[in-house]
Amino acid sequence: MEDHIKKEFIELYEPVHDQFCRYCRAISGNTEDAEDLMQDTLLNVFERFDQIKDLSVFKSYVYSVASNLHKMKQRCNKFKAAFNEEETNQIVDFGQNQEHFTEFKIVYEKILSLPAKTSETLILYHISDLSVIEIQKIQGGSIAAVKSRLQRGREKVLSLLNTKEQIKMATMLLTI
């Protein structure tokens, strides 16, 4: 590819890199799988970069490709990501506060136990900080459906928790 195309790709990708890393870590469950997913996604997007007609949708396109690649891998492996303490530190930094870390671990496990599309919606919105419109572009469907998944997902997570501390952590994490 020409140098100006490479430069344009990098300019579009750099602002979304940190959010995208958090998203890949959150859905993958471990560093190795997250790195593989990121590499596969970026290679796929880069190879088809010249086919993107509207570069204003670049961010949602990257997330859509990652989501689809992850779903394909899950279908092949029939594997649901397990909680990994080291990865959680990459998603949310609690410093030395082990109590908050433990509560987050429980809330995160509950999020992962939800149906895949609901879990993905919560992760995209609350961990990757994407807007409802961006999530709708990634997942398809309507904005109302995304909002509904967010609301139902939050309610379900809260209903699965047992202590005030867990509910407080979930409320902090899943605040609108």
Side-chain angles (χ1 to χ4, degrees):
M1 272 192 181
E2 298 177 30
D3 285 339
H4 78 279
I5 294 175
K6 290 177 187 177
K7 184 178 178 184
E8 186 176 18
F9 178 85
I10 291 169
E11 287 174 1
L12 288 169
Y13 176 70
E14 281 182 341
V16 302
H17 173 75
D18 290 340
Q19 287 178 314
F20 183 62
C21 287
R22 284 194 307 269
Y23 172 69
C24 288
R25 285 183 189 119
I27 66 171
S28 296
N30 64 62
T31 303
E32 294 81 21
D33 288 344
E35 287 175 1
D36 288 346
L37 178 59
M38 287 176 62
Q39 289 174 2
D40 292 345
T41 300
L42 292 176
L43 180 61
N44 188 303
V45 171
F46 186 70
E47 287 174 345
R48 291 167 180 76
F49 185 66
D50 58 342
Q51 297 171 9
I52 302 173
K53 293 179 174 94
D54 180 4
L55 293 178
S56 68
V57 300
F58 178 80
K59 182 178 183 178
S60 60
Y61 181 71
V62 170
Y63 279 85
S64 296
V65 170
S67 176
N68 290 335
L69 289 173
H70 178 69
K71 289 172 191 170
M72 284 180 7
K73 183 176 180 184
Q74 279 188 316
R75 278 192 297 269
C76 292
N77 295 338
K78 299 287 184 192
F79 172 75
K80 183 110 179 170
F83 182 81
N84 180 322
E85 280 191 36
E86 291 177 26
E87 286 307 308
T88 303
N89 286 327
Q90 299 295 320
I91 298 168
V92 178
D93 182 16
F94 292 110
Q96 299 298 316
N97 193 331
Q98 282 299 312
E99 196 172 297
H100 283 139
F101 178 78
T102 302
E103 302 307 330
F104 175 79
K105 173 183 174 183
I106 293 166
V107 172
Y108 185 63
E109 287 173 339
K110 300 302 182 192
I111 291 171
L112 292 177
S113 74
L114 299 175
K117 202 161 194 173
T118 303
S119 176
E120 179 184 51
T121 303
L122 290 173
I123 290 169
L124 285 168
Y125 189 82
H126 292 291
I127 295 176
S128 293
D129 297 322
L130 296 185
S131 70
V132 171
I133 294 169
E134 291 171 316
I135 296 169
Q136 182 264 332
K137 289 178 183 174
I138 292 166
Q139 293 184 328
S142 67
I143 290 175
V146 173
K147 289 179 179 179
S148 178
R149 280 192 297 277
L150 281 170
Q151 184 62 33
R152 280 186 270 124
R154 289 178 190 126
E155 290 170 359
K156 184 63 177 173
V157 168
L158 289 173
S159 75
L160 296 171
L161 300 174
N162 301 319
T163 67
K164 289 180 185 176
E165 291 79 17
Q166 293 170 3
I167 292 170
K168 183 178 177 182
M169 177 57 67
T171 305
M172 268 183 10
L173 181 65
L174 302 175
T175 303
I176 298 174

